[in-house]
Structure formats: structure tokens, C-alpha cells
Amino acid sequence: MARIVHIFTFRAFPTVSDGVPLTEAYDFGRFTPHLVNRPGDMLRVTNLGRHTDVRVTTEQSTLAPLDITARLWSDGASLAQLHLSYGLNDPSPHEVANHLAIFCHERTSLSFDGVALVDWLVGKAGLDRAPRLDQDVLQFVELDDAAGLATDKDEPSNDAIAMIYRTAERLPDGGVPTHVPAALNSLAGAFAAHGRGVVVLGGQSEATALTVRLTACELLFAVGRARHARAKIENLLQGSRTRDEAAGIWDDAERLSEVAREVRRQRTIMALDVQGYADGLFMPELVIDSFRTSFAEALRLSELTDSTVGLMDALSDVIGSSLADIQLRAAKLADTRERRWQLGVGMASGIAIPVALLLSYFGVSSEATIPADRSIYDLTVYGLVWALAVASAVTIAAMTLRQYFRTKNGDSTTWR
């Protein structure tokens, strides 16, 4: 007996109102205490029912009617996984490989009783809009025993490798890298091996197989979050990818601040929702840790996380220096405006004060001091008055120009 589980990842997934916690939907046996202690676990399961005699077809293939049980795993953050499981009675490894290849390689044309995969999910889950099928497909093959899965050297046999790599062709011995988690192969009569998208288990207990599946799905959610975080940052920076638009974002303090806020938010998601799943801190079970490490390596999760975090850290540095440059230029511009304003005020004062002096002198004078037949421009009489007025104008102008050039050259010393 072979139990096959096909897991499709969807993004931009609408909120699902119903659903129960994982520990209520499945029996994880001795692993349950570890699961209930994880903080902030948002995974919920919605049972979409068992569907009998479903004919699965693609543009190129047709499978015999299957009794498919469908469940939806949702993380509450726009990501979800559709789990489709069914059993095959005593299938050959190459029959299993054919099922895996059809559900994976032809997933964009999959239909169930004539209904496309995405539309089928929308109808069964009662969604208000269609989500997007992501690139990640994870498949489990769970066999009752490990017969024929391992060689004498406890390495995957050709039959196991054929299932892991979804090929009906018999592969040559060796030369094809697979991952064999040591702890899952430590019990007599049990075997486990996997690649990036297929996990083959033989002779494992039901609770162990289910917990291994949960671990793999969590890592797949982590990959989805990391990919989404990187896409969010790249979309914000889309305008800076061309030379003509590059200056637009790096010289715009408001847009830079928006990018900085988004970088901080996505950096937090990377720390909590990606690295938190990957390190397995809240599930210290050696058997599962062996698989977690092995499968994370197959997914290259560490490489993806490091590169994404490195990108965000580099962006933070660039944003910080760009904001500092903008602030410096803004300060210089404000200083230039202030100096020009002071120059204008000083020059205006240089005109207004002498005029005021002349008006105050000539305006309050009487006929006795300034006869009507005598011109105010008569320098022989009023030369001292005009000299004082001109001297005040020259003094004010000189002081204003002196202060202007002093501040322009970086000396902020006040007038003296």
C-alpha cells in the first residue's frame, strides 16, 4: 500500500474563516507536546472532504479515478497549501513516479472531473476570489515497509531514486544525489530519503510520517515568506532599476522613508517567520531535527535567507547614507536661502535707514532752519546731513556683504 500526498502552495490567498488548529486536525502522537508549545503558531486546517472516483486529467495524461481527501493548510498571512492525498494498492515504483510527475510537471493543466485545479479549490473551499498557484509542489510517498527502498549500503535504491526524481526510467546506480536523514533511518525496517520536492518514507509510524510532513510544510511556508519578503522590497525599488529613474527614489526622502519602513517590517518577518521555522527551536525532537536540517539544505533555505537578509542590510545602509545626503543638501539649501534673505534684509536696511534719517531731519525741521527757498540738496549747507546718511548706507551694506561672504565660506561668526 502506498499513500501519496500532493501539496500545492498558493499565494495571495484570501482569509479562510473556518479551520481548526493542527493538533485538532491530526494525531501527532508523541510529538504533540512539542507542537502545542510553539508560540504564535497560525497554521489552521480546513477539511475539504473526501471525493470519490475523481478523474484527474491534464493536456497529456489521464489517471484512473481516485478517492482523494483534500485539506487546506493556511498560515493566516496570504499563503496556503492544498493537501491532496489518496492510496494506491501495491503500485510499482514507476507507477508512483508517473503520478508524481503528472501532479507536478503538468500542474498548470490539472483538472478534476473537468474542473481546473484553482477553480476546483475555489469551489470546495468557498473562496471569494481565486488565489495564485505558486511554483512550489511538495509530494510525499508513504509506504507500509521499506522493502526495496535501500541498497545494502543503506543508500536509496534505484526505485527510491526514481520516485524522488519523478521519473519512470530506471536510473543508473550512484551519481544522483539524494538526502538521507540519519535519525529517520536509525530504526530497523524504516527508511527515509528525499530530494527538493519529493519525500519517500517507508516503515515509519503514522505519527512520525505526519510530523515529518508538518516539518517540511513549515519549511516550505518559510521559503514562501522569504520569497515574498524579497519581492516586496524589489517591487518598492522597481523605479530605481533604470538610469533615468534611479535619482528619483534616492533623492526623495519620503519614498526612502517608505522603503526603510518596509525593509524593517520585512526584516522582522525574516527573523520571526522564516528563521523561526528553520531553526526548529520550539520542537527539539532529534528525529525531526535530522529531517529538518536535511530538507532545509535541499530547499537551500539558509542560502535564500542569508541572501535576502544581506540584501535588506545593504539596503538599510544605502538608505541611511542617502537620507543623510538628502538632509545635508537640504541643510545647505536652507542655509543658502537664509544667507540670501539676510543679504536682502541688509541691503533693504541700507536703503531704508539712511532715507529714514533724512526724512526725520528734513521732516521735523522748521522754516527757520530750512527756508523754503533753499534746496535740501544744497551740500554747502546740508553736506553733513547727507554725509551721515551716505556713511550709514555704506556701513550697513559693507557689514551685510561681509557677513554674507563669511557665512558662504563656512564661517558662522556673528557680526562684530
Side-chain angles (χ1 to χ4, degrees):
M1 178 69 179
R3 180 177 181 81
I4 301 178
V5 184
H6 305 283
I7 302 172
F8 300 92
T9 302
F10 291 86
R11 53 196 169 99
F13 205 86
T15 302
V16 181
S17 57
D18 57 356
V20 298
L22 279 164
T23 50
E24 294 183 19
Y26 300 97
D27 180 9
F28 292 92
R30 67 185 178 89
F31 300 96
T32 302
H34 300 295
L35 300 179
V36 298
N37 288 331
R38 293 178 304 171
D41 187 7
M42 299 296 293
L43 287 181
R44 300 184 69 82
V45 179
T46 302
N47 190 352
L48 304 182
R50 181 182 176 186
H51 310 280
T52 59
D53 296 329
V54 178
R55 185 171 295 276
V56 179
T57 60
T58 68
E59 295 175 352
Q60 302 176 359
S61 309
T62 299
L63 295 176
L66 302 169
D67 291 351
I68 296 177
T69 298
R71 290 185 175 90
L72 185 68
W73 291 23
S74 174
D75 73 342
S78 77
L79 289 175
Q81 296 172 349
L82 174 63
H83 292 228
L84 302 177
S85 59
Y86 55 85
L88 294 178
N89 289 318
D90 197 24
S92 69
H94 302 301
E95 181 183 355
V96 172
N98 184 52
H99 277 244
L100 299 177
I102 291 173
F103 273 82
C104 178
H105 303 320
E106 302 179 53
R107 60 185 177 274
T108 56
S109 62
L110 274 176
S111 65
F112 300 88
D113 290 333
V115 181
L117 173 61
V118 176
D119 297 332
W120 187 85
L121 171 60
V122 169
K124 299 301 179 184
L127 305 179
D128 56 5
R129 67 177 187 275
R132 287 178 287 177
L133 179 61
D134 213 342
Q135 68 185 51
D136 297 318
V137 176
L138 177 61
Q139 296 167 306
F140 277 78
V141 180
E142 300 170 4
L143 303 170
D144 291 337
D145 56 61
L149 294 180
T151 66
D152 294 338
K153 298 180 180 180
D154 293 330
E155 296 176 350
S157 66
N158 275 357
D159 288 341
I161 291 174
M163 291 185 285
I164 289 173
Y165 289 94
R166 307 182 182 105
T167 175
E169 300 177 0
R170 191 171 185 81
L171 300 175
D173 292 331
V176 181
T178 55
H179 298 261
V180 182
L184 287 177
N185 290 275
S186 60
L187 298 177
F191 183 79
H194 66 86
R196 180 182 175 89
V198 177
V199 180
V200 175
L201 301 175
Q204 305 287 348
S205 69
E206 183 177 348
T208 300
L210 187 56
T211 308
V212 167
R213 192 198 316 171
L214 168 60
T215 303
C217 289
E218 286 184 330
L219 292 175
L220 209 58
F221 272 126
V223 168
R225 290 187 180 97
R227 190 182 293 133
H228 180 70
R230 189 177 189 122
K232 287 282 290 185
I233 302 302
E234 290 181 351
N235 288 337
L236 282 173
L237 295 175
Q238 191 69 37
S240 67
R241 292 192 173 186
T242 63
R243 180 175 299 177
D244 293 339
E245 296 177 346
I249 184 171
W250 302 116
D251 288 341
D252 189 330
E254 184 176 349
R255 288 184 65 190
L256 277 178
S257 297
E258 177 188 352
V259 174
R261 286 192 297 271
E262 187 62 32
V263 167
R264 288 194 298 270
R265 193 173 77 87
Q266 296 302 329
R267 185 66 179 84
T268 302
I269 290 175
M270 290 295 298
L272 296 179
D273 294 343
V274 176
Q275 293 168 319
Y277 274 119
D279 58 26
L281 176 64
F282 299 104
M283 192 173 177
E285 168 58 59
L286 294 180
V287 172
I288 302 305
D289 280 346
S290 173
F291 175 77
R292 183 190 303 278
T293 302
S294 178
F295 195 65
E297 180 182 349
L299 292 176
R300 298 169 62 189
L301 180 58
S302 178
E303 180 180 336
L304 173 61
T305 301
D306 290 345
S307 65
T308 302
V309 170
L311 169 65
M312 293 180 179
D313 290 343
L315 277 178
S316 296
D317 293 340
V318 172
I319 290 170
S321 62
S322 297
L323 284 174
D325 182 60
I326 291 174
Q327 292 169 354
L328 179 60
R329 283 186 278 128
K332 288 182 177 180
L333 183 61
D335 183 63
T336 300
R337 285 198 299 264
E338 183 179 357
R339 284 189 288 104
R340 290 175 178 174
W341 171 255
Q342 290 175 347
L343 178 62
V345 171
M347 291 302 180
S349 300
I351 296 173
I353 291 176
V355 170
L357 289 173
L358 292 172
L359 289 176
S360 63
Y361 177 80
F362 291 110
V364 300
S365 300
S366 63
E367 179 67 21
T369 57
I370 304 179
D373 59 348
R374 184 175 295 169
S375 172
I376 63 174
Y377 301 109
D378 187 349
L379 297 181
T380 59
V381 178
Y382 306 116
L384 180 59
V385 175
W386 282 101
L388 291 173
V390 171
S392 63
V394 171
T395 301
I396 294 173
M399 293 177 65
T400 300
L401 290 173
R402 180 189 178 196
Q403 180 66 15
Y404 174 79
F405 288 111
R406 178 178 292 172
T407 55
K408 183 178 181 181
N409 294 328
D411 184 359
S412 58
T413 306
T414 55
W415 288 2
R416 57 188 180 196

